[in-house]
Amino acid sequence: MNIIIEYCTVWNYLPRAAGLANELLGKYGTQINRLTMEPSGGGVYEITKDDSLIFSKKKLDRFPDDGEIIKLIENN
């Protein structure tokens, strides 16, 4: 699978994005073909799996709950 973590550098979401990347690599390891951390702006924190947006802070007006991204990955 391919994962993109797009995060806002203006609001310093990098630590949150790096933590998620670490969690995903620990859980899925070699099942991940590519994991990309994409710097952005405007308060963005979006997770894409295989070209499908599975989480958007902009749309939901919140960060994901603990374990939410893993559930979304497994259900998509």
Side-chain angles (χ1 to χ4, degrees), residues 3-73:
I3 304 286
I4 299 171
I5 303 171
E6 183 180 356
Y7 63 95
C8 179
T9 58
V10 176
W11 289 96
N12 193 29
Y13 295 165
L14 174 59
R16 184 180 295 269
L20 176 60
N22 189 49
E23 179 182 359
L24 295 177
L25 288 170
K27 170 115 177 115
Y28 297 107
T30 58
Q31 294 177 44
I32 296 176
N33 297 320
R34 177 178 293 152
L35 190 142
T36 305
M37 292 183 51
E38 189 173 296
S40 190
V44 170
Y45 189 80
E46 297 189 337
I47 314 303
T48 304
K49 175 192 171 196
D50 296 328
D51 299 321
S52 294
L53 182 65
I54 62 170
F55 184 88
S56 173
K57 178 187 171 292
K58 292 292 262 186
K59 289 182 183 176
L60 298 172
D61 198 31
R62 66 174 178 84
F63 285 103
D65 296 327
D66 289 343
E68 183 174 2
I69 300 301
I70 288 175
K71 288 177 187 172
L72 291 169
I73 286 173

